Amino acid sequence: MSCQYLLLLLLSVGVSAVEVHRPRGVPLSKRQFYEEDKPFTCLDGSRTIPFDRVNDDYCDCQDGSDEPGTAACPNGSFHCTNAGFRPAFIPSSRINDGICDCCDTTDEYNSGASCQNTCRDLGRKERESLLKMAEIAKEGFQLKQQLIHEAKSGLEDKKLKLSEVQSSKKDLESKVEALRTVKETAEQPEKEAKERHMQAWEGKLGFESISPSTVLMGGVDKVDLAAFGAVWNNIKEKYLSESNADIPAPVETAQEETPVSDNDSDQYPEDDIPEEEEEEDEDDEDDDQDESDYKVRPLSFFITLGWTVLKFVSVSHFILNLEKEISFDFGPSAEFGYLYSQCYELTTSEYIYRLCPFNRVSQKPKYGGSETNLGTWGKWAGPEDNIYSVMKYEHGTGCWQGPNRSTTVKLTCGKETVVTSTSEPSRCEYLMEFITPAVCQEPANLDSDLHEHEEL
C-alpha cells in the first residue's frame, strides 16, 4: 500500500463531512446533475424527465440514475455518506431491506430497522491502524536506505574483487599454458618414437599380408570354389614344411662328470664373492636411484599441472557467478540485492514452503516426502508504475495432466523480511505474500497534513 494512498485514507477518515443538500443516495461528485429547478437528464443521456420523478420509486432511466435513493431500479446504486468513516456504494436492492449496510444507517431510512451510527468508531479504529501502517512504512523506508547504502558499497567491493580475480585468472592461464608447453615438449620424443614404431609395424604387416597371396594364390586376393582345389595343394605343402622345420631334432650329448671338491670354499673363492656382490649392490642402488628420480619428477609435475588447471577452472566459475550478480537487476538502487543467495521459509499445516529470491520456489511435505519445484526465477512482473512489486517464478514441476507449476510473489512494505502466506488461486498457480523493507516508498509528512486538515 503506497504512502499516498494511506494519506488519502487518513484524510478521508479524519475529517467530518459537510452536509450538502442533494437527493438521497447521490454522491457529492454528481451533485451538479441533480438540480431541483431543472428537468433531470438520465446520466446515460437516454431521456429527460421532470425532476419530481427522481426518487419517486419508479424506474424511468435505463441506467437507474433517476432512482439513486430507492430500490426501484435493479441496476441502481446507493451512496453511503458515512461521515467520520469512508464513503461507500451499495446496490440499490439493499435499500430498506432491514439490514444495516451503511455505518451511518442512511440505507434503512424507511424499513424500521434498529441501526446505530458506528461511523466515527470505525473511523477512529481505522485511523489508528493506518497510522500504525504509516509508521511501519516510515521505518521500512529507513531500512531501505540502509540497504541501498550497503548495496552500493557491496557493488564496489564486488567490482574490485572481480578485477583482482580476473588478474589472477590471467596469471593462472599463463602458468597453465607454460606447463602444457613443458608437457608437450617432454612428450614430443616419445610421440615421435611411437609414430616411427607404428609406421614400421604397419609396413611389416603390409609386407606379410601381400607375400602369401602373391606366391601361393597366384597373385590374386581371393578365388572361387572351383579354383580353390588348384591352390590348396601349394598352401598345404607350404605350411606343412614350415611346421616340420620348426620342430628341432633331438641331439644326444655325453654326460660329463663334474669333479667334486672336498672343500666348498674351493668352488667359490673368497676374494671373488664379496667384490661381485658389492658391485652388484652398488649397481642396483644406482639403478634404483635413477629409476626413483625418473618417477618422482613426472609425478610432481603432473600434480602441479592438475592443481593449476583445477584452480583455473574454479576461478573462471567464480568470475562467471560474480559477473552475473553484478549485472543482475536488483531494483533501481539495488535495494533488493540483499535477498540474493538467501532463502525464507513458511510452514503450514501440510507443507513447508521455501522462497529463494532470484532462484526458485519449492514446497515439501511437512512430515516427509520429496520436494516439488514451484518455479524458477523468471522476471519482475509488477505494473508499469511499480514493476518491482511482483516477482514471477516459472517452469516448475509439471502437474499431472496439467501445466508446469508457477508462483507469483507479491511484495509489500514492512520492517522484516518474511513470507507471510501462500495460496493456490488456480490449479498449479501459486500466490505468495512476501514482506520486505526494500519495497517501501518514501512516506509523506502525514502528521503535518493531518493537523492542517483537522484545523480546516
Side-chain angles (χ1 to χ4, degrees):
M1 184 180 293
S2 66
C3 294
Q4 288 79 6
Y5 182 64
L6 286 174
L7 177 59
L8 290 175
L9 285 177
L10 285 168
L11 293 178
S12 64
V13 170
V15 64
S16 298
V18 178
E19 184 64 28
V20 178
H21 182 68
R22 59 190 186 276
R24 181 183 285 113
V26 175
L28 188 61
S29 60
K30 295 181 180 180
R31 172 66 183 84
Q32 68 271 22
F33 300 112
Y34 296 85
E35 298 183 10
E36 295 183 3
D37 56 348
K38 294 181 181 180
F40 176 74
T41 300
C42 300
L43 297 184
D44 62 358
S46 59
R47 61 184 300 189
T48 300
I49 60 175
F51 192 81
D52 59 2
R53 293 169 65 174
V54 175
N55 280 341
D56 65 347
D57 206 19
Y58 183 84
C59 191
D60 298 290
C61 299
Q62 294 181 358
D63 62 355
S65 58
D66 65 311
E67 298 297 320
T70 72
C73 297
N75 58 341
S77 61
F78 181 85
H79 179 262
C80 303
T81 302
N82 291 344
F85 190 50
R86 288 182 286 108
F89 285 92
I90 63 172
S92 59
S93 60
R94 297 182 182 178
I95 299 173
N96 293 323
D97 64 349
I99 300 175
C100 301
D101 298 291
C102 301
C103 67
D104 61 1
T105 73
T106 53
D107 61 315
E108 299 301 320
Y109 61 89
N110 198 29
S111 68
S114 178
C115 298
Q116 293 183 353
N117 191 324
T118 59
C119 288
R120 293 196 177 278
D121 187 47
L122 292 174
R124 178 182 58 80
K125 292 180 179 179
E126 186 172 57
R127 187 171 181 272
E128 291 175 355
S129 176
L130 293 175
L131 284 173
K132 184 177 180 180
M133 292 176 62
E135 186 64 27
I136 291 175
K138 181 179 178 181
E139 295 181 16
F141 183 75
Q142 293 175 350
L143 291 173
K144 178 180 179 179
Q145 296 303 110
Q146 296 179 11
L147 293 175
I148 292 175
H149 176 73
E150 293 173 0
K152 290 181 179 179
S153 176
L155 183 61
E156 295 299 325
D157 293 341
K158 289 182 178 68
K159 289 181 178 179
L160 180 62
K161 181 67 175 178
L162 179 62
S163 178
E164 294 175 353
V165 176
Q166 286 176 336
S167 177
S168 174
K169 178 184 175 182
K170 291 181 180 179
D171 295 340
L172 286 171
E173 189 174 9
S174 299
K175 189 174 182 179
V176 169
E177 291 301 322
L179 290 171
R180 284 178 177 172
T181 301
V182 172
K183 175 177 175 292
E184 292 173 357
T185 302
E187 292 176 346
Q188 187 62 29
E190 181 181 358
K191 183 179 178 181
E192 293 176 353
K194 286 183 178 179
E195 291 178 353
R196 290 194 299 269
H197 179 74
M198 291 299 298
Q199 291 174 357
W201 179 251
E202 290 174 358
K204 182 178 180 181
L205 288 178
F207 175 78
E208 291 179 351
S209 63
I210 294 173
S211 298
S213 65
T214 303
V215 176
L216 301 177
M217 298 182 66
V220 297
D221 295 333
K222 57 184 179 179
V223 296
D224 55 16
L225 186 60
F228 180 72
V231 299
W232 170 243
N233 291 329
N234 295 334
I235 296 174
K236 181 172 64 174
E237 292 177 359
K238 168 70 175 176
Y239 284 97
L240 286 175
S241 62
E242 289 182 356
S243 61
N244 292 332
D246 292 338
I247 300 174
V251 178
E252 294 181 359
T253 56
Q255 185 173 4
E256 297 179 358
E257 294 181 358
T258 304
V260 179
S261 174
D262 295 335
N263 189 1
D264 293 340
S265 62
D266 293 343
Q267 297 181 9
Y268 305 101
E270 293 180 359
D271 294 340
D272 294 339
I273 295 175
E275 291 181 1
E276 290 181 358
E277 289 182 354
E278 288 177 2
E279 289 178 359
E280 289 178 359
D281 292 341
E282 291 177 359
D283 292 342
D284 291 342
E285 290 177 1
D286 293 341
D287 291 343
D288 293 341
Q289 185 68 28
D290 293 342
E291 184 177 358
S292 176
D293 293 343
Y294 178 79
K295 290 181 180 178
V296 170
R297 283 196 294 268
L299 179 61
S300 61
F301 173 81
F302 281 107
I303 291 176
T304 302
L305 176 60
W307 176 255
T308 306
V309 172
L310 182 62
K311 191 173 182 180
F312 175 79
V313 173
S314 177
V315 168
S316 300
H317 185 67
F318 178 80
I319 289 175
L320 288 176
N321 289 337
L322 194 57
E323 289 176 339
K324 177 183 177 182
E325 185 176 353
I326 290 174
S327 62
F328 207 94
D329 183 8
F330 291 124
S333 302
E335 59 268 32
F336 296 96
Y338 82 103
L339 299 174
Y340 193 74
S341 300
Q342 302 295 321
C343 292
Y344 305 89
E345 290 186 351
L346 174 67
T347 301
T348 64
S349 58
E350 296 183 42
Y351 296 101
I352 299 175
Y353 292 91
R354 184 177 178 87
L355 168 64
C356 300
F358 311 109
N359 187 2
R360 67 196 296 264
V361 181
S362 63
Q363 76 172 10
K364 184 172 62 175
K366 186 176 180 180
Y367 300 105
S370 60
E371 187 177 75
T372 301
N373 183 5
L374 302 185
T376 56
W377 168 254
K379 59 185 177 180
W380 292 105
E384 291 184 2
D385 60 340
N386 193 16
I387 191 173
Y388 296 102
S389 62
V390 178
M391 292 176 169
K392 188 68 175 180
Y393 294 80
E394 305 167 318
H395 309 300
T397 304
C399 289
W400 173 254
Q401 295 183 345
N404 289 343
R405 290 174 171 84
S406 62
T407 303
T408 299
V409 180
K410 294 180 65 177
L411 281 66
T412 56
C413 172
K415 296 185 294 183
E416 300 178 335
T417 303
V418 61
V419 178
T420 57
S421 67
T422 58
S423 59
E424 190 176 0
S426 302
R427 183 168 180 257
C428 305
E429 295 181 1
Y430 297 82
L431 177 63
M432 184 173 285
E433 299 283 347
F434 186 57
I435 292 178
T436 168
V439 79
C440 295
Q441 301 297 321
E442 184 175 6
N445 192 351
L446 299 179
D447 293 336
S448 62
D449 290 340
L450 283 175
H451 180 70
E452 180 181 354
H453 202 87
E454 287 172 355
E455 289 180 349
L456 291 175

